[in-house]
Amino acid sequence: MTRKKKEAQLSALMEQIREHFNGVILVAEQGKPLLYEAVGFAELSQGQEPARTLTTESMFELASVSKPITALGIIRLHQAGLLELDDTVSRWLPELPYPGITIRHLLTHTSGLPDYIALFSEKWNPAQIAVNADVLNMLAAHRPAPLFAPQDSWMYSNTGYIMLAILIERISGQSYADFLSEQIFQPLGMARTRIYNRRLDPDAVPSNYAWGYVYRLEHGGYVLPDAVPAMNYVHYLDGLQGDGMVNSTAMDLLRLDRALYDDKFIQPQLREAMFTPVTLHNGETFDYGFGWLIEQHPQLGRAVSHSGGWPGYATFLKRYIERDLTIILLQNGERDYNYTQQLLRSVEQALADEPMEVPQAAAPRTLFPLTAEDYEPFLGEYLFQDEQGQSLSAEVFIEHSQLCMRLGNGMTFVLLPISPTRFYEQQIATELEFGEIEASKSSRLIWYEHDSDSVAQRVR
């Protein structure tokens, strides 16, 4: 397919999604944009100030798209001869109470470190903003059990990437922000990229900044996550770096993409290691390298990617390294996760010269009037269990007259009624339904996720 045909198809796609999309999208072939557009608001109106629109140079918080950048910082230290990937973390972090973990384990999510978010939701003073040292100190003080022995299994670990940021600082003698600026951002001309914790440093808002908004039915539209009590963690976890908090633009991420093809910037054998699936002790592999998910696309070949999600932001970077194609998606007003996934598939279809399915936005949801008394049959504890025998508890309770669900990993969701027994969860845009109500108690909870359904049984 010719370049002009790809440009035309992508342009046609943008025209059809414009009213449902808020963000910046950049699609490139061999580093040259096929599509590069900004749509929607960067900041909603404040008092007398009018709303500010996004531009292609708007800066977004990347959320977990920060992880490939943190991993690249470690690789730069390795290229400088300052560490080996199989060095034990305890060499630099003797206070970390989990022996046998290597830098490679942290990079590949095979360390088994417990989830710091769950620990902080239980033990941290939410009036204080935590920084990276607090994560290390909390692990040392409370010593939550590891999830598994190093390299026995794979589980996505924000904790591991916080530890990598701390390692960067201890090994380099610089702050995480200064090291990445010196080693990555400045050499690659990423002038609009920085580490930025906006609640920790509220007076330093970068120019042309895209404020992240969440869509909330109960608020009648978009609001800052700071206005949603169930999202108070965006405040007290704001000082953390490594698993998130890189802020950048679409074009700066394209500059990073180009550098990852450059043998002078990253040695070929290290690049290959970055994009090689990790092998567990039992011989199984998992399609994750050093900060990158790995896949084989049927038409577009080998691809590496990472997505990011944090209240107010949905981000995505995907590189089809055999075809030299790049998709960069930065959103600061996502309403529907499933719609974003459809959009990405549509872009891939256009690039692969396949029939393109236009994303379909979900029908608007409206709240059903229920009272706290109506919630009584649903209250209690449920247990989800997957086919591998992994279980996850879910406590359903009332807080501030709203029905809430707290998972065993510490995540808490507000459940908004859309029928007498069915509820909408806005953070990940899924629905849940309580079933088999007998003697004024439900015995089942069904979670309708995007690709599958999960059923939990009442245990208490």
Side-chain angles (χ1 to χ4, degrees), residues 268-335:
Q269 67 272 22
L270 274 175
R271 182 189 304 116
E272 187 59 30
M274 278 174 63
F275 303 145
T276 298
V278 62
T279 301
L280 304 178
H281 279 146
N282 63 5
E284 294 180 6
T285 60
F286 196 91
D287 290 332
Y288 196 97
F290 301 162
W292 295 94
L293 280 160
I294 304 154
E295 68 176 274
Q296 190 71 25
H297 189 277
Q299 285 77 40
L300 301 176
R302 194 177 182 205
V304 297
S305 67
H306 214 292
S307 61
W310 193 244
Y313 296 97
T315 58
F316 186 76
L317 169 60
K318 191 165 188 177
R319 310 175 60 246
Y320 305 85
I321 52 183
E322 292 177 356
R323 297 278 295 273
D324 196 355
L325 296 164
T326 313
I327 300 175
I328 298 165
L329 189 65
L330 304 176
Q331 293 183 87
N332 64 321
E334 185 191 44
R335 287 183 64 169

Side-chain angles (χ1 to χ4, degrees), residues 240-260:
L240 305 181
Q241 301 173 348
D243 61 341
M245 295 302 174
V246 178
N247 288 250
S248 189
T249 66
M251 187 55 72
D252 270 7
L253 289 177
L254 186 63
R255 293 182 176 102
L256 176 69
D257 164 73
R258 305 324 298 161
L260 293 176

